[in-house]
Amino acid sequence: MTKATIIHVPAAGSGVEEARAALDGSCAAHEIPAAEAWRLKVSLDEALSNVVRHGDSLPGTHVAIGMRVAGGAVELTVSDGGPAFNPLDAAAPDRSAGIEARTPGGLGIVLVRALMDEVEYARRDGLNV
């Protein structure tokens, strides 16, 4: 059986908090094990934080978040209207350099890829998905 939930949150810090709370509720409702729910929450938090930080969203814009549960798998989809940007094409950060020598950023997608089984990007109808 497929279960789906879609919410819209502001493309702002308050939206990240709202999305976290909604995901907590969805994970509980779908009886997602705590370890899997944690992986979903960290990944969603990173994706949304990047949309807010780098998406050049105008005040009042929203981000759509979809969650689908089917056959023991969970799919999260984040859609925003910011400029086209495929984080999967971004250069991997140099993790061999000392912390003082590193350029900030880039570790979020590394973390998401490590936590999720699959990570995909598409530009559809003017949205990053």
Side-chain angles (χ1 to χ4, degrees), residues 8-107:
H8 297 269
V9 299
S14 63
V16 176
E17 294 297 325
E18 187 178 332
R20 280 184 199 140
L23 183 59
D24 282 341
S26 290
C27 286
H30 296 304
E31 300 178 350
I32 306 296
E36 298 304 314
W38 177 84
R39 292 170 48 176
L40 292 166
K41 288 184 245 183
V42 170
S43 296
L44 180 62
D45 185 76
E46 183 57 40
L48 289 177
S49 294
N50 282 335
V51 168
V52 170
R53 192 175 313 120
H54 304 294
D56 298 329
S57 299
L58 299 172
T61 60
H62 287 78
V63 178
I65 300 150
M67 180 174 162
R68 185 171 68 92
V69 179
V74 179
E75 178 181 283
L76 284 179
T77 305
V78 177
S79 304
D80 73 87
F85 176 70
N86 182 348
L88 304 177
D89 287 343
D94 179 5
R95 295 186 286 174
S96 65
I99 193 77
E100 302 81 21
R102 290 185 190 177
T103 302
L107 290 175

